[in-house]
Amino acid sequence: MSFSLVYQKIKEYQTIILFGHKRPDGDCYGSQFGLKDIIKTTFSDKSVFVVGEKVSYLSFIGQLDEIDDDIFKDALAIVLDTATRDRISDSRYKLCKEIIKIDHHIVLDNYGDINVVEELIPATCLLLTKFLLSNENLKISLVGATALYTGTVTDTGNFRYRGVNEETMQLAGKLLSYGVNVEHIDQLLSVQSLRAVRLKSYVYRTFKVTKNGFAYAIINRLIIKYFNVGYDEAASLVSLLANIQECPVWALIIKYPKDIRVRIRSNGPNINTLAEKYDGGGHHKAAGATLKSSSKIRQFVKDADNLVKEYKEKQEPII
Ligand code: AMP
């Protein structure tokens, strides 16, 4: 079983470096810091580092480490919540002696020497909770349980998304048994700036709907500057276009300085194939894509509109 292999490798190495994906989310941070806590609580003498990109709204989960390149060469790399090697946020994983991948995305790239992937589990944090429970020697503190619970809450949309089942609740319940403060986590994740509220009103005023019902909004650099918000804060607004009855697929298109990132969501057709066509990937109902230039937006919107059209044609008419 791969969990026991992961346990053996953790035992074997003195230095372990935990990686996540670019533009990290709650499940990425939660799984990195949750696993760090499991390893440190179980094996206090090991050196465990978390590397990646800083995200201020998630900083309550843990603080990133800054480490020199020479630390990597004798280390075990564990990459969390990251489907493909080009999404790993720190390319120094290549310097490490061995790589373990632990993830829950659709498998596109088995880049690890050991790959532990459960596509149907709704958060990598839950997969790590299973790892924790798989071996009675493994321990976790309240800090780690809080990290894993936070990632679970964010990736399941507060236990509302597809994939949430009896096991999800049992594993989350196990995390709560360490004393996690659910209300406090919710407050930390829900707080919003006045600027963000104003940007929301902009998105609501300007979003477009295609002929067949693909809803999308575009946020460019000028808008980001005007509302004085961060790119990640702006990107979080994809959920504003959710649950419009006529629009089973929706997206937020954000023009970053170097490329254009599309966050796509669906409660109808699977969208991962559409995302993959545009240098992206993800899950069936939540995926992301990258567009090289503004000229690609029109084609992307057309493809998304077609996807909705085909989906609606297959649906039973509502009488
Ligand atoms: P996001 O919109 O960033 O929350 O992404 C939704 C899902 O798609 C997440 O599971 C991401 O890991 C995945 N994803 C987002 N962007 C990409 C990309 N460019 N390539 C592969 N997967 C992606």
Side-chain angles (χ1 to χ4, degrees):
M1 172 59 189
S2 355
F3 279 155
S4 53
L5 268 178
V6 174
Y7 179 76
Q8 286 311 323
K9 288 292 168 195
I10 289 174
K11 248 180 111 173
E12 203 177 294
Y13 278 83
Q14 178 55 33
T15 306
I16 299 162
I17 306 176
L18 305 176
F19 296 77
H21 57 77
K22 293 173 183 165
R23 292 169 188 148
D25 56 10
D27 195 27
C28 178
Y29 255 53
S31 51
Q32 285 179 282
F33 288 103
L35 183 57
K36 176 177 180 173
D37 185 83
I38 293 174
I39 300 171
K40 288 296 286 180
T41 311
T42 311
F43 307 100
S44 56
D45 60 323
K46 291 195 188 289
S47 303
V48 187
F49 303 105
V50 174
V51 295
E53 293 168 25
K54 194 170 170 204
V55 181
S56 48
Y57 86 97
L58 296 171
S59 61
F60 72 93
I61 300 177
Q63 298 300 319
L64 297 169
D65 296 297
E66 279 181 24
I67 46 175
D68 290 338
D69 291 0
D70 49 314
I71 297 182
F72 289 76
K73 68 177 192 318
D74 293 322
L76 169 67
I78 305 185
V79 185
L80 297 147
D81 196 43
T82 309
T84 52
R85 66 193 80 194
D86 57 300
R87 294 263 298 148
I88 303 173
S89 70
D90 188 324
S91 61
R92 291 177 294 175
Y93 73 91
K94 293 176 195 155
L95 304 176
C96 294
K97 223 170 181 175
E98 279 186 284
I99 302 168
I100 296 178
K101 170 189 183 183
I102 302 181
D103 186 32
H104 74 132
H105 293 96
I106 294 161
V107 176
L108 297 170
D109 180 3
N110 272 324
Y111 55 78
D113 299 298
I114 299 170
N115 299 282
V116 182
V117 180
E118 246 192 66
E119 292 184 1
L120 295 180
I121 199 159
T124 300
C125 282
L126 290 169
L127 191 51
L128 289 175
T129 311
K130 278 173 93 165
F131 171 61
L132 168 73
L133 301 178
S134 71
N135 187 320
E136 59 185 19
N137 295 325
L138 289 170
K139 296 182 181 62
I140 193 168
S141 77
L142 172 59
V143 171
T146 299
L148 293 183
Y149 187 82
T150 304
T152 300
V153 166
T154 53
D155 244 37
T156 61
N158 282 314
F159 302 102
R160 287 179 298 124
Y161 296 160
R162 186 184 297 246
V164 170
N165 57 20
E166 190 183 344
E167 183 188 52
T168 314
M169 295 307 192
Q170 276 163 353
L171 294 170
K174 182 71 196 167
L175 294 172
L176 291 185
S177 74
Y178 291 89
V180 172
N181 186 335
V182 177
E183 192 182 3
H184 188 53
I185 293 173
D186 186 57
Q187 279 165 2
L188 290 167
L189 292 173
S190 311
V191 70
Q192 51 183 344
S193 66
L194 185 59
R195 304 184 309 262
V197 176
R198 297 222 154 98
L199 179 61
K200 277 184 185 176
S201 104
Y202 170 83
V203 170
Y204 273 136
R205 276 185 282 120
T206 58
F207 79 93
K208 296 193 169 51
V209 178
T210 61
K211 192 164 125 225
N212 294 293
F214 166 59
Y216 67 100
I218 301 177
I219 297 180
N220 63 30
R221 285 166 65 182
L222 277 178
I223 295 301
I224 297 266
K225 217 170 154 194
Y226 179 78
F227 288 97
N228 189 21
V229 292
Y231 279 95
D232 290 327
E233 206 171 358
S236 72
L237 301 186
V238 62
S239 55
L240 285 187
L241 302 179
N243 301 322
I244 303 172
Q245 196 174 22
E246 295 81 356
C247 306
V249 179
W250 62 98
L252 194 60
I253 301 172
I254 300 161
K255 295 186 174 180
Y256 281 75
K258 287 201 184 121
D259 57 10
I260 300 169
R261 179 187 172 209
V262 190
R263 300 189 83 192
I264 321 160
R265 299 291 185 267
S266 170
N267 54 25
N270 289 346
I271 48 174
N272 55 301
T273 315
L274 172 70
E276 283 159 26
K277 186 174 167 190
Y278 290 91
D279 288 327
H283 305 282
H284 289 147
K285 309 294 173 190
T290 313
L291 306 177
K292 298 269 180 296
S293 68
S294 296
S295 59
K296 298 266 187 273
I297 295 178
R298 186 197 285 262
Q299 188 57 44
F300 172 79
V301 169
K302 211 169 153 193
D303 284 347
D305 182 60
N306 259 329
L307 186 69
V308 176
K309 180 169 182 257
E310 282 164 18
Y311 171 76
K312 286 189 174 172
E313 280 168 359
K314 279 191 224 133
Q315 298 300 297
E316 297 286 326
I318 302 164
I319 301 161

